[in-house]
Amino acid sequence: MATVAITLQPVAMVQNLYPTNSCSNVIASNKQTHFQEESEEFLYFIQNLLVKYRMYNKSKESSVVSGGLQQFIIRRSKRKLDQGGSTFYNISNRLKALYKKDEEVTFNYSDVADSICMIQYLPVDLKLHIFSFLDAKSLCMACCVNKEWSELACDDLLWKCRLEKDTIHWNQISYLSNPQMYLDVDSDWSNKEIYLQCSPDFKTLAHQSNSAFHQVSSMLKSLLPKKVPKVAMFGPGLEQTTSGLVRNMLYIENPVFTRTAMFPGQAGVGGGISLKLQSGHSLHLSVLYTSSRSERENRGAGDRLQGNRMLQAQGAQGNDDGEDRESLYSLNPQVRQFCQTVDAFIYVIDASQDHDIISMSTTELNLVLRERMSSPHLPVLILSCVKTPGDKRIPACEIVQLLQLSDMPQPWLVIDCESESLQSVDTGILWLVNQAQYK
């Protein structure tokens, strides 16, 4: 009796849910929306019964056989599908037919995994469209699911779109992590390899995964003889809305930099302050201004070359625009002599300015770097500053293009930072010190 009760109870439950006499009347009278909801509920109920059925069937103590329950489910589901079928079943069959190019397909309700993983029956282009909504980390995780997902998640066109979307959000780009460099040289690397090589987030994850190695390498580097690098900081960002950067770094107490000493310059050029970072690294920092404070406050951004104390005019001053602008100016002797003694450069720009204003500042940068053409190892840090976090800024990838950094022989890094809070300034200077000390 116990066996019969176990077998008949699910059947009674199904019959109470879908009475034979009223089932067709309800479907005929209700709207299509109600029928879809009813069918989905029916299929869900059948799946639960089948799970219980398999559980009972595997039990050694139960003698339930496949007779009544299984045959009832087959007949009932077939009747429902003949009357119009559930949305779930029709979509599944259509996708299978599209994928297998076969209209005569069957659907096994007992295979719950196949009924849920519908993506395997989609066309390839639709699968790639779905994968395009995943971020880079999710795509890498999808590669570990199975062979098919690995091939989809490694699609070169998919990573090309991911690269174009994410590059504008990267807060730092260096001479080794510039995606455009790999594209210009027609590299054999795939877009996925380029992305993983250039992405700051993945570099951070790789550094964390190899933390033990980096700790050992840092300890070994600390044993090498090194000197405190002498760094020159200049650029239009020191004279625009981000001019507070120098004040916050050198003259106001902050948790990022510690002032340790002052040193004099020569012929009025090169004096500065020695700073120490929280990591223990030190540097001698000299700030180069193009004019006095009153002159900087009363002139526009486009007048930097005219009256620039770092530069001197040479030859006829005809056209100050165009590609020959650099031939009209050169560094004055005092600045030229000082540039020969420095170990690194920091170039500050105001990333909230217009593109044209930033592109015009390449003349000043190129003239300074020209004096150290014989030192291709000399690092250059580009601080792409805004005053406050809410200020609109030009992305780092566009700064690279505006300053034409891809043509620069020296190692460089562009990093987004804030002049008021000094956010990310120490990260860039730490990179600069490491580059200057061990070269």
Side-chain angles (χ1 to χ4, degrees):
M1 293 297 295
T3 302
V4 176
I6 293 176
T7 305
L8 295 180
Q9 185 177 2
V11 177
M13 294 171 64
V14 177
Q15 290 177 342
N16 292 332
L17 182 63
Y18 290 94
T20 306
N21 296 331
S22 60
C23 182
S24 58
N25 296 331
V26 172
I27 297 176
S29 60
N30 291 346
K31 294 181 180 180
Q32 184 65 22
T33 304
H34 178 70
F35 173 76
Q36 293 176 356
E37 296 176 354
E38 186 185 47
S39 300
E40 293 174 357
E41 184 179 3
F42 172 69
L43 293 176
Y44 178 78
F45 181 73
I46 288 180
Q47 289 178 354
N48 291 337
L49 290 179
L50 287 176
V51 171
K52 296 179 181 179
Y53 172 77
R54 287 195 295 268
M55 179 181 67
Y56 292 149
N57 197 27
K58 293 179 180 179
S59 176
K60 296 181 179 180
E61 299 179 359
S62 175
S63 58
V64 177
V65 295
S66 61
L69 177 60
Q70 186 177 12
Q71 294 301 321
F72 174 81
I73 292 176
I74 293 176
R75 291 195 305 270
R76 179 62 66 180
S77 60
K78 185 176 184 302
R79 185 184 304 174
K80 299 287 289 184
L81 296 173
D82 290 340
Q83 294 175 352
S86 68
T87 305
F88 186 80
Y89 177 84
N90 288 337
I91 292 177
S92 303
N93 270 1
R94 290 175 184 175
L95 292 177
K96 283 187 176 181
L98 181 62
Y99 182 77
K100 298 181 178 180
K101 300 186 183 302
D102 183 10
E103 296 292 342
E104 297 180 359
V105 292
T106 58
F107 184 76
N108 185 9
Y109 285 103
S110 62
D111 194 350
V112 181
D114 284 347
S115 65
I116 296 177
C117 301
M118 303 301 300
I119 192 173
Q120 61 181 319
Y121 302 117
L122 297 176
V124 175
D125 54 347
L126 188 53
K127 293 178 184 178
L128 291 175
H129 180 68
I130 295 175
F131 273 64
S132 66
F133 292 96
L134 300 178
D135 56 15
K137 184 178 180 180
S138 300
L139 286 175
C140 292
M141 296 175 64
C143 293
C144 304
V145 175
N146 53 42
K147 181 179 180 181
E148 181 186 10
W149 280 38
S150 178
E151 293 176 354
L152 290 171
C154 293
D155 182 78
D156 200 56
L157 183 60
L158 186 67
W159 280 96
K160 179 182 179 181
C161 297
R162 188 78 271 159
L163 194 62
E164 294 175 352
K165 292 180 180 179
D166 293 351
T167 304
I168 60 175
H169 301 293
W170 290 350
N171 62 346
Q172 56 179 288
I173 297 178
S174 71
Y175 69 108
L176 294 178
S177 61
N178 182 19
Q180 191 61 39
M181 176 186 65
Y182 296 93
L183 300 177
D184 292 341
V185 299
D186 197 14
S187 173
D188 294 334
W189 283 16
S190 65
N191 286 312
K192 179 182 178 180
E193 292 173 326
I194 296 175
Y195 188 103
L196 298 182
Q197 172 67 23
C198 300
S199 172
D201 295 335
F202 278 88
K203 284 182 173 293
T204 302
L205 292 175
H207 187 277
Q208 293 175 353
S209 62
N210 298 324
S211 59
F213 169 78
H214 289 288
Q215 289 177 0
V216 173
S217 61
S218 299
M219 182 187 66
L220 295 177
K221 285 182 177 180
S222 64
L223 302 177
L224 298 176
K226 55 182 179 294
K227 68 173 184 178
V228 178
K230 190 174 183 179
V231 181
M233 182 164 67
F234 65 104
L238 302 180
E239 305 174 4
Q240 297 171 350
T241 60
T242 56
S243 59
L245 176 67
V246 176
R247 180 184 69 254
N248 295 326
M249 286 180 59
L250 303 182
Y251 306 116
I252 296 180
E253 295 295 333
N254 61 81
V256 181
F257 301 99
T258 302
R259 300 184 299 274
T260 58
M262 298 184 65
F263 56 90
Q266 295 180 356
V269 178
I273 298 177
S274 300
L275 299 176
K276 186 176 183 180
L277 283 74
Q278 290 182 333
S279 60
H281 297 74
S282 300
L283 73 154
H284 300 311
L285 182 64
S286 300
V287 182
L288 302 179
Y289 287 107
T290 61
S291 59
S292 63
R293 181 176 180 178
S294 59
E295 292 174 342
R296 295 195 301 268
E297 293 176 350
N298 295 326
R299 73 180 182 184
D303 301 330
R304 284 187 54 80
L305 297 181
Q306 300 178 4
N308 192 324
R309 295 184 179 183
M310 291 179 55
L311 310 178
Q312 62 180 7
Q314 58 181 14
Q317 296 293 309
N319 184 17
D320 194 33
D321 298 328
E323 298 180 356
D324 297 334
R325 187 185 298 115
E326 296 178 14
S327 62
L328 302 178
Y329 297 92
S330 63
L331 294 180
N332 65 47
Q334 295 82 5
V335 175
R336 181 184 297 111
Q337 183 178 2
F338 170 73
C339 290
Q340 294 294 331
T341 63
V342 300
D343 303 304
F345 290 106
I346 299 178
Y347 189 66
V348 184
I349 62 172
D350 187 350
S352 63
Q353 297 291 330
D354 295 335
H355 290 69
D356 295 338
I357 296 176
I358 295 179
S359 61
M360 288 177 59
S361 63
T362 56
T363 301
E364 182 180 349
L365 176 62
N366 293 334
L367 289 175
V368 172
L369 295 180
R370 182 185 298 174
E371 301 299 326
R372 301 302 302 271
M373 291 296 294
S374 60
S375 303
H377 61 275
L378 195 74
V380 180
L381 173 64
I382 311 295
L383 293 181
S384 179
C385 293
V386 293
K387 186 176 182 179
T388 58
D391 295 343
K392 186 178 180 181
R393 69 183 317 138
I394 299 177
C397 61
E398 296 185 15
I399 296 296
V400 173
Q401 298 177 359
L402 293 174
L403 298 182
Q404 302 176 5
L405 299 180
S406 299
D407 301 331
M408 185 183 300
Q410 290 86 357
W412 53 266
L413 171 69
V414 177
I415 186 168
D416 294 340
C417 57
E418 299 169 10
S419 61
E420 293 297 322
S421 63
L422 300 181
Q423 180 180 355
S424 301
V425 175
D426 56 335
T427 303
I429 292 182
L430 181 60
W431 171 87
L432 188 76
V433 173
N434 288 328
Q435 291 285 328
Q437 284 182 342
Y438 304 112
K439 290 293 184 179

